Amino acid sequence: MFGGRRRLIVLALAVLLAIAVAACSDDGGSGAEASGDSTPAVGGDGTCDDLDPDHCLLPWPNDRFTVPDPSTETGLRLAIPVDGTPQNVDGVPVDVTDQNRADGFSPASTMLTFVPEVDLEVSGVAPSTDIGASLDEEAPITLTHLTTNDRWPYWAELDAPAPEGEQLLMIHPAMALTEAHRYEVAVNRLVQANGSPVADDALRTWSFTVASADSLSGRLRSMVAVTGDAVPAFAVTSVSGADPVVVEGTYEIPNFLDNDGSTGGQFALGEDGLPQVNADHPTADAPFTCILGTDPDAGTVVYGHGLLGSREEVLSLADITSIAGLNACATDWIGMATEDLGTVTTILADVSGFPTQADRLQQGQMAFSLLGRLVNAPDGFAADPAFQTADGASLLAEDGALFVGNSQGGVLGGAVSAVTDEWERAVLGVPGVGYNLLLPRSSDW
């Protein structure tokens, strides 16, 4: 019983991660009407779906959990029924107030439904090793883009860690879903291990709407815009080493959280629904660690660390710095850094606290953009003696920033690279997927 409920909470967090901004998005979007969708979104009623009376929020994602809202780009607003969400360890349903501000679902959404006793291999459902099979004419599951009527590639699996008999069918889109457009999922012709058909009432067809760009990334883009062209104030706190030289310090970033910027804070939203700078704590300090090479023309790597790590991971680039003459600077992915472990653990017990992680994570992406500015600007790091040769020449090339991130750094690096103007080149190492797919496959998780 405990294991099953814990699994529901973990799945709920994965769903919320899919709704969150962690995916990249375009800087604009159009609603279903404007996109030429012949079946524009009209909204649901925000109640449990009777397609699966035993599981309120299945199938997921689902336009049943929306209501019409003409003020949004999609014409919809999420209305996830609170009385149907998984419960925390004290039996309290997950609070989805923040999620219900969105005008659709994530472009990285995993589609979930429950099909008892199904055998996916015998059914011929496309696995991760044969995604092309999802587009076969006779595929037992279809995912269709409703504007173009084109089939969309996917792969599917059962939720492996769930108890036997409780495993959900998980359908993963093989490429990002189009923002502000609708999709239809049809689950049919599935069979059991002995080849007999699964019950008819487990087969279903439903549709859902993907959120617009403004809904997905509007908050983060507004935060980056607030920084303007100003170079952040910074302070060097230590200089050590010789090959390479290691420079550490802090720099100021705008604080959009409702605390002093430390872990556990969340956005205070204005009437326009966008994050506002905290009037009592308008700035917060972000730490940085840089290692310096010997060739000022080689450029400077802005480095993104891995899952729940820290900026100190940049020190592992010392050999590259020495060989190629590159510089490398890093800050923490605040929101998903070592110092956030306590907050993440708390959220696992009560997923209602998820905005405290997601909001601070966006604060961290803004911090990376500003680190790039400090690397690029002549009156940034380059103006400090710690980043100069003995004769006062800068070791940093003007506008020389490029981004390199691995694992989590590859995932989050794609998002910040989409919204910043501080670099044009990015290397995303083993980025793979969004958190909703990455985390269940992580040994750390």
Side-chain angles (χ1 to χ4, degrees):
M1 182 67 177
F2 172 78
R5 187 167 71 175
R6 181 183 181 193
R7 183 65 187 158
L8 281 174
I9 292 172
V10 171
L11 275 173
L13 182 57
V15 166
L16 295 181
L17 283 164
I19 294 173
V21 163
C24 300
S25 74
D26 297 332
D27 60 3
S30 57
E33 295 274 11
S35 67
D37 195 333
S38 60
T39 53
V42 294
D45 58 8
T47 63
C48 295
D49 195 322
D50 54 12
L51 278 176
D52 188 344
D54 295 326
H55 303 86
C56 175
L57 294 186
L58 296 182
W60 175 278
N62 191 336
D63 274 345
R64 177 68 174 261
F65 313 132
T66 69
V67 291
D69 186 341
S71 70
T72 71
E73 291 188 39
T74 64
L76 300 176
R77 181 76 65 185
L78 295 195
I80 303 168
V82 176
D83 57 357
T85 62
Q87 299 177 356
N88 68 12
V89 293
D90 295 321
V92 179
V94 173
D95 182 357
V96 288
T97 300
D98 197 58
Q99 287 70 38
N100 280 344
R101 293 188 173 99
D103 67 2
F105 299 90
S106 170
S109 290
T110 293
M111 290 140 275
L112 305 173
T113 191
F114 182 62
V115 183
E117 300 182 344
V118 65
D119 188 302
L120 298 186
E121 184 175 0
V122 175
S123 298
V125 175
S128 61
T129 54
D130 188 10
I131 291 172
S134 67
L135 302 177
D136 290 347
E137 186 175 346
E138 297 301 317
I141 298 173
T142 59
L143 176 60
T144 305
H145 185 289
L146 288 179
T147 299
T148 64
N149 211 35
D150 289 336
R151 294 273 296 280
W152 206 265
Y154 68 83
W155 56 279
E157 63 182 344
L158 295 179
D159 181 23
E164 190 73 27
E166 298 180 22
Q167 294 172 303
L168 296 184
L169 171 61
M170 310 176 78
I171 305 166
H172 306 286
M175 59 184 186
L177 305 169
T178 304
E179 295 160 356
H181 285 245
R182 294 178 68 228
Y183 289 80
E184 179 188 85
V185 187
V187 177
N188 48 57
R189 296 194 301 276
L190 298 179
V191 298
Q192 302 176 32
N194 62 8
S196 60
V198 300
D200 287 344
D201 59 6
L203 306 179
R204 47 187 59 99
T205 299
W206 75 96
S207 62
F208 65 94
T209 301
V210 180
S212 67
D214 278 345
S215 182
L216 290 164
S217 63
R219 291 180 181 180
L220 176 57
R221 287 187 283 116
S222 74
M223 294 162 64
V224 172
V226 165
T227 67
D229 298 321
V231 176
F234 69 96
V236 172
T237 57
S238 72
V239 179
S240 60
D243 186 19
V245 173
V246 179
V247 182
E248 296 186 280
T250 61
Y251 61 103
E252 286 188 357
I253 61 173
N255 179 29
F256 291 89
L257 303 178
D258 59 5
N259 62 2
D260 60 2
S262 58
T263 187
Q266 66 184 88
F267 291 147
L269 302 176
E271 293 183 1
D272 58 2
L274 298 175
Q276 306 296 302
V277 172
N278 187 319
D280 296 324
H281 302 280
T283 63
D285 285 337
F288 70 83
T289 298
C290 295
I291 53 178
L292 303 182
T294 56
D295 184 358
D297 296 323
T300 302
V301 168
V302 176
Y303 182 77
H305 64 73
L307 182 65
L308 292 169
S310 79
R311 65 194 181 281
E312 300 300 323
E313 193 177 304
V314 75
L315 299 176
S316 66
L317 301 185
D319 288 344
I320 297 175
T321 300
S322 177
I323 295 170
L326 282 166
N327 308 299
C329 291
T331 187
D332 294 338
W333 285 120
I334 57 174
M336 284 294 280
T338 301
E339 63 185 288
D340 296 293
L341 274 168
T343 299
V344 172
T345 301
T346 299
I347 292 169
L348 287 175
D350 185 359
V351 185
S352 296
F354 178 73
T356 64
Q357 190 269 338
D359 293 355
R360 192 163 185 263
L361 188 56
Q362 293 174 75
Q363 179 100 344
Q365 291 173 320
M366 177 196 62
F368 262 84
S369 178
L370 289 176
L371 179 61
R373 186 170 304 169
L374 283 165
V375 164
N376 285 329
D379 53 346
F381 287 158
D384 191 281
F387 294 88
Q388 298 172 354
T389 63
D391 59 3
S394 174
L395 289 169
L396 307 182
E398 185 175 349
D399 296 326
L402 62 148
F403 181 85
V404 176
N406 290 310
S407 190
Q408 174 176 265
V411 175
L412 297 179
V416 69
S417 295
V419 300
T420 187
D421 292 326
E422 299 302 333
W423 55 81
E424 296 180 351
R425 294 175 294 165
V427 178
L428 307 178
V430 291
V433 291
Y435 277 115
N436 58 315
L437 189 55
L438 179 153
L439 286 177
R441 284 164 164 72
S442 165
S443 58
D444 293 334
W445 178 254

